[in-house]
Amino acid sequence: MAAQPEAAAQTAGLKHPKLGGKKVTATETKRNQGNAELPCLSNYAPWKERFYEKVQQRCLSLQEAKVKTIRAQKAKEEKVKEREPCDWLSKEWFTEAKESLDTRIYLLDKLLPTLIPGVEKLLMEVERKNVLAPDKEPTGFNPINFLGEYLMRHNPHYGISTKPGWYRRGMETVTEELKTEMPGATSERLARMKSEAKNKRKEREQVDNTKSQVEEMRREALATQFKEWTVDVSGRIPVALVQSALRSFPDVVASPSMDVRKAIYGRKLEIVDTLGKKLNIDEFTEYVHSYTEHFSNDLFQAILKHLCQCADDFQEAVRRDMWRQMFTDLFLDCDYGKVGLLDRQKILALLLDFYDRSPVIAKRGFCDPRQWPIIELQEIELADLWGGLDDQEVCEELSEKLVLSQTDFSEGEISAYQPVGDNRQRTYRMTTSVREGLLEQMGTSEAETGGISKEENQAAESSDAEDAPVAKVVKETPARKESFSRQRGSQFGQQTSSETRLQDEDLLQDQGKDLHPIMAEIQNRWASRTRSAFDESCLNLPQFVQLMETFVGEDISLPTVKRLIAFIKEEYKQTEEEKMEQLEKVHRISRLAQRKLLLEALFEKWDNNASGFLDLEEVDAVLSTFKEGVEKEALRKAKKHLCSRYPQLSRVGKLSPKAFQAFLELIASEFSGDEDEAIGNLVEFLTTSVERSHMACLQSLARRKWLHNIQQAAETSGASMEPVYKAVFEALSQDAEAHGDNKKISAYIALLEENQLSPARGQILLRYVACTADDAPYVLNQILYRDMKGVSFAAVEEGKPIHVPRVQLHGNIHFWNYDRPVEERRGSLLVLPLHDARWRVFGILGLDTLWDQCEKTIFLTHEISFYQGVSQAFSKAYHYVCRLENFLQMTVTALDWLYPRAPSIRTVITYLVEPGKDKTCDYALRKVITTDNRGQKEIHSSPVLLLRKENLLRVYLFKCIDSSEVIHTSVCGEYHTAVPLCDLSGQALGIFDISIGHRQKLPPHEHKDLQKMLKMAQAACSEILKMSLEETEPTYVLEAEHVANLRHAGILFHQFMLRDLRECIRKLDAESFAEIKSYVEPPALVHNIVKAVLLLFHPDWKGSEKTENWNQCKLKLDDNLIQEIYCFDPTAASVQVQAELLLDCITGVPRAAVRQHGSVPAEHLYDWVHTCLSLVEMTSKKAPPLPPFGIQF
């Protein structure tokens, strides 16, 4: 038998054997016939295809013929029914008697179909023979015989059938219906199934109809909602805005279900970077409906409301973008020196003057320049922050500081100010380019819209022509690049990294020409970190625009804004001395940035193996030959100053990049003449003192890229160490493959811990926290004690790498893999100590080649140097992640403190700033903690990243990061305050997104408590960052902070609060307590507060007259008590605080009652007691400490 391809056989409903290309002999054919099997013929037999085509055609024709026959028969039966309808007398067989159902079915099915035709024939024969005629003689006709003969002739077993009559057809119908009522019968089951299917079909049709109606109604609602958006002249809206509205919906709706998140986040949005792609009404309806078709009615109504609010926000953004363009023009007009900066104190003074001279009605819309967020929290005096709500003395003092020698203006004079120039033309330009401005505001590319105004281009061209060198200088400075580039191009766009590199190359063309490739690579690493840093003395463009926006608020009319702009434009003055001072400041900052870049490039040229440090003696030896040794005395003095600044240098003799820069600056300062010229000469000398081949440079470039990946993994880890470990092992394996003769290495990381498991085996231990995959079953989570074999503790104690070329010959090596045979324990071992910034050891990085079967597996010198660089890179990444963990821990403590004091706050979302993963986005925001108004916190373990291009309606978060300033705005019907947490340079590293719901402002006391929390959080954040600096030692205020050299981030928050309260209480005197002492019978809350303070120092006074008798109590309120409070450390081991006694005194004292009482000393004492209790509680619980920053041996 022949065969056919499998697909064709399946189409025809046939089965045939699978064929192969094996040839079959005659013997095999005979054997196969005997086994009733077909031989395997070739798949390429030419007749098979034609054969199966014919078979398939025949099957199809037979199938079609059968279908036609069945259809013709059914049509014929229908015609018969129409021509000869059934006799409905057969319906009489229907009764409700269930007992006779079987009998009736049997009669109708077995007997009557044959008997009824016979009876009909009998009656017809009787009528034909006229047997029943009364006057006729009896005949020989026997009806019984006739009926019997008929039944015998038409026996149904012999297939002799007659044409059914009317009654019989009706009876057949009745029979079928009766069978459907017979329980358990096949017909009954079939009828029940048909009935259920029919009902389900009806229900499905009804549901489909309802869905169609609902879908149509939803489409109509979406079409109606489209009209709420501000469409352009073509009747379209940007799809990017619709995407942002959809993405923000799960965050707005209360307790979104998984279906909502899956519908929005599960389906990948094709993110549109520009507002150029737009939707008309039909496309908008289809687009939104595709995401909401499975929503319930309540959710759909919620998203309709959300879209309506987003449309309102978009319209408001369009309106405010007009103001932002006006503020940008004002900045360009006031920047007389064209340096991209304005005097912040002058601007604050002008805002204060304008505010004071404005009518009372206008003041209600402005933000008070004396208050936060116009001024910074650090600029608020303690008495104002911790004092009563009616305290005006600090406001007057701040007013005196801010008001400069300005001309006094009356309200009429202020209202008379109008913008200079053709207002109508300027307004027309703003209206026509408003969408382009909004595009810039949302962080998209200016090149896509061409939205730069003519005035800004002219200002940029004139400033470039007048003072081009200054422009170059300003553009160099990393902290100023963004502001100056925005001034010259788009006011809210960001300068590309390629432009930045070109400008910096122009600036450095006269110095360090040989270092240009290295500097270009360093600048490439800096490209995504050009955010504005806060400066208390000056404002760049985004900061100025944001300050003006914060001041005017949201309810100010356009004429008032124009009067404000005209007022500032007219009254902002700068003397020639101030201009020169500002220019010199910018030049100085630029030179420092230039010097830092140059010296960092020089360091990398010297550090060819990317070890992360230079040998001090080697650098000193080379520098001693500078100018043939004439400057040896200057070199000696500089080295002495350097060792005093970095005490660890005298011990380790290693120069980090920062210490290397400081060393050269100290040497240059000892030289006579210009310091910049001296630096240039030193750089030129040191550059020519070292020569590197092209291959060595390429090797160094590749290694630095791998080290940079380690740091980038830490910065994008979300406070997790797993990506860092992975990046470290990838760097080691890549280098071993590329530069280590393709060695197969094993790597592992162990961290030092205090030995609490077996103290007798040593004070500390090494816990292996990460390793390569092959060693995980043997090494991971193992513990190495000091009394065990190994060289790891020797590396820890000496602080130097230990290289064992042949482990089989050493005798003191601990092998974790006990299954490895002794003869296979061959290879090299390298143990590198992990140092923190102050060169204290906190762990080890180990490498071995035991898995490598090659004979030569010894680590070479350049490999060891690079592995030291890997250990340094890991140390930086590790401590970066530790700082993030501490930051999150401090944030949790701060939010716990704020929650009971500010119940009006709806939610607080904490974000961390991460570098962008590509060149298209400068940074991203990672959502880490969400706190609701019940104090419940959700710590997001899975990454929730916000990109600027995907969240156009939450652009206020990115504006806050860009300007490092507080932003208050309304989003989706709720008021939000975005507060940045800045690093030591003033750039934002995190952000608090505080939502207060539908209320525009917090109550005054909650607003003040929020300011306290934010100030303490910023102070604690700065202290956490200072802990990792190599040139500064941490300051300890409480004993709990330096026990076992560990610090707790939560303690830091309360520590700064305690310090503030100490200062407030120290400023109290006898007159401050006069009111409290004047009470004969004091209020219960005052007595309880004073009693709690006394019991904190003297728990043994419980129940005595010294605390219960008010006359004796108030005698203790003197300078001695103030001094004791100022010096008191609640965490000291010598202090025994009985928290129960204090809680008994102040638990029944509500915070609101203390505030309403109005006594500043009582309020200070109340807050001080609570802070002490918080510190005692945290210390007693032994909260988890900060990760160790090194152990000194």
Side-chain angles (χ1 to χ4, degrees), residues 73 75 189 263 377 398 401 451 489 519 695 860 1001 1068:
Q73 184 178 356
R189 292 196 301 271
L377 292 172
L398 184 59
K401 290 182 179 179
M519 289 189 289
M695 290 301 298
L860 303 180
K1001 293 182 180 180
L1068 299 177

Side-chain angles (χ1 to χ4, degrees), residues 519-531:
M519 289 189 289
E521 180 62 26
I522 296 173
Q523 289 171 330
N524 189 34
R525 297 198 292 264
W526 284 358
S528 62
R529 305 177 186 181
T530 54
R531 301 185 298 272

Side-chain angles (χ1 to χ4, degrees), residues 118-132 141-143 146:
V119 174
E120 290 181 350
K121 289 290 184 180
L122 175 63
L123 293 176
M124 292 171 63
E125 186 67 22
V126 170
E127 184 178 359
R128 186 177 65 82
K129 292 185 178 183
N130 201 12
V131 176
L132 299 178
F141 178 76
N142 189 343
F146 181 85

